């Protein structure tokens, strides 16, 4: 059981895993059925007889963005790969794998537990992408944020998130603004970074003039619940703060 992973923004799927452990002859590659849940139709979907590369068999899923999955080694947490293994429209026999630089840990951070991930481009493979170099960002449980360009950077650029208790804040990329955003706990402020890494973060205060009128006990009940703050962007460029 792990944190649910959304694969796509336009047609969301939730990953349920890979089932099956048969070997495909001399290639020593596993064959399994990749299973998804389609919330729009409220039914299961899947890709049967998918060839799973041996390099990915023992890795665990830690996040997803634009249909690409981030997998980490169960023993060596600094080893992270990006793959299209769980993409239902990807090749069944030729899974793409991109190895990222080894993770490094800041003094007040940790890299063993990933909270969520985000990418600036639909494809981290610079050979297939017609856009500028893709930037990936990993938000860890705690205060560390790490960013790099797959296929170009040999090391990660690590940032210390400038506020505490950020476990319930999720990193996202704004296509309109070309910036990574991270809501501060409580959703009253936004912190953002550009694609160049070397600039200080910018802060934005969020003002909500039309809060819902709720009785005091309802507010107290909401405050007692565990909450995640998601800054999201629609295809038209509108931004929303989702309190889940």
């Amino acid at each position: 059981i792990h944190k649910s992973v959304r694969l796509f923004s336009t047609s969301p799927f939730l990953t349920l895993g890979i089932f099956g452990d048969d070997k495909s002859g001399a290639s020593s590659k596993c064959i399994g059925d990749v299973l998804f849940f389609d919330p729009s139709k409220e039914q299961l979907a899947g890709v049967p007889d998918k060839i799973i590369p041996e390099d990915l068999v023992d890795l665990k899923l830690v996040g997803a963005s634009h249909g690409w999955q981030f997998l980490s080694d169960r023993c060596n947490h600094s080893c992270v790969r990006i793959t299209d293994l769980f993409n239902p429209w990807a090749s069944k026999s030729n899974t793409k794998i991109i190895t990222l630089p080894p993770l490094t840990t800041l003094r007040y951070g940790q890299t063993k537990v990933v909270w969520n991930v985000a990418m600036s481009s639909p494809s981290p493979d610079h050979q297939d992408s017609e856009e500028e170099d893709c930037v990936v960002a990993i938000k860890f449980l705690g205060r560390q944020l790490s960013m790099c360009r797959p296929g170009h950077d040999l090391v990660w650029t690590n940032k210390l998130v400038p506020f505490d208790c950020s476990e319930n804040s999720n990193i996202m990329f704004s296509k309109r603004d070309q910036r990574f955003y991270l809501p501060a706990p409580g959703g009253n402020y936004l912190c953002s970074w550009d694609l160049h890494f070397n600039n200080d973060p910018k802060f934005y205060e969020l003002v909500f003039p039309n809060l819902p009128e709720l009785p005091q006990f309802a507010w107290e009940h909401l405050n007692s619940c565990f909450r995640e703050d998601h800054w999201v962007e629609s295809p038209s460029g509108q931004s929303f703060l989702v309190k889940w």
Side-chain angles (χ1 to χ4, degrees):
I1 300 174
H2 56 78
K3 191 173 186 289
S4 297
V5 174
R6 185 185 68 177
L7 283 182
F8 305 97
S9 297
T10 53
S11 300
F13 288 97
L14 297 179
T15 59
L16 299 181
I18 300 176
F19 299 86
D21 57 358
D22 295 331
K23 298 290 183 180
S24 59
S27 64
S28 298
K29 294 181 180 179
C30 295
I31 296 179
D33 299 333
V34 179
L35 196 60
F36 312 96
F37 176 73
D38 185 346
S40 63
K41 299 179 180 179
E42 296 188 356
Q43 65 185 22
L44 298 178
V47 178
D49 300 328
K50 180 97 171 187
I51 296 180
I52 298 95
E54 189 176 8
D55 293 343
L56 304 180
V57 171
D58 294 327
L59 302 185
K60 65 176 181 179
L61 180 66
V62 295
S65 180
H66 291 287
W68 291 79
Q69 303 77 50
F70 288 65
L71 305 176
S72 72
D73 194 299
R74 297 180 184 273
C75 299
N76 181 12
H77 298 285
S78 65
C79 179
V80 177
R81 295 181 177 92
I82 306 178
T83 176
D84 61 353
L85 174 65
F86 291 97
N87 189 328
W89 298 286
S91 172
K92 293 178 62 174
S93 59
N94 187 22
T95 297
K96 293 184 178 180
I97 303 174
I98 301 173
T99 301
L100 299 178
L103 295 170
T104 54
T105 305
L106 291 173
R107 181 178 179 183
Y108 297 103
Q110 62 84 32
T111 57
K112 291 184 178 180
V113 181
V114 174
W115 186 250
N116 82 301
V117 303
M119 296 197 312
S120 66
S121 169
S123 176
D125 190 346
H126 64 280
Q127 296 179 350
D128 296 341
S129 178
E130 297 180 356
E131 304 178 12
E132 295 184 2
D133 296 339
C134 174
V135 177
V136 302
I138 300 181
K139 171 66 178 64
F140 298 95
L141 189 64
R143 297 183 60 189
Q144 179 164 332
L145 173 66
S146 299
M147 295 177 283
C148 80
R149 291 179 173 87
H152 289 276
D153 294 341
L154 300 179
V155 296
W156 291 84
T157 297
N158 296 324
K159 300 289 184 179
L160 201 62
V161 176
F163 42 77
D164 295 322
C165 303
S166 57
E167 286 82 0
N168 58 348
S169 298
N170 294 268
I171 192 76
M172 66 84 68
F173 181 75
S174 169
K175 183 177 180 181
R176 180 193 64 187
D177 301 336
Q178 292 294 294
R179 300 185 69 88
F180 287 98
Y181 285 106
L182 184 69
N188 296 319
Y189 294 90
L190 277 179
C191 184
S192 76
W193 293 264
D194 61 19
L195 297 177
H196 303 291
F197 310 155
N198 54 359
N199 298 326
D200 293 332
K202 290 185 178 180
F203 287 90
Y204 308 87
E205 183 179 3
L206 300 179
V207 180
F208 305 100
N210 299 314
L211 289 175
E213 296 183 1
L214 297 176
Q216 182 63 27
F217 74 88
W219 286 113
E220 293 176 354
H221 174 71
L222 290 176
N223 289 333
S224 67
C225 297
F226 178 80
R227 185 182 68 237
E228 290 185 22
D229 296 320
H230 297 261
W231 187 252
V232 299
E233 187 175 87
S234 70
S236 64
Q238 290 180 298
S239 299
F240 299 88
L241 179 68
V242 178
K243 293 178 177 288
W244 178 26

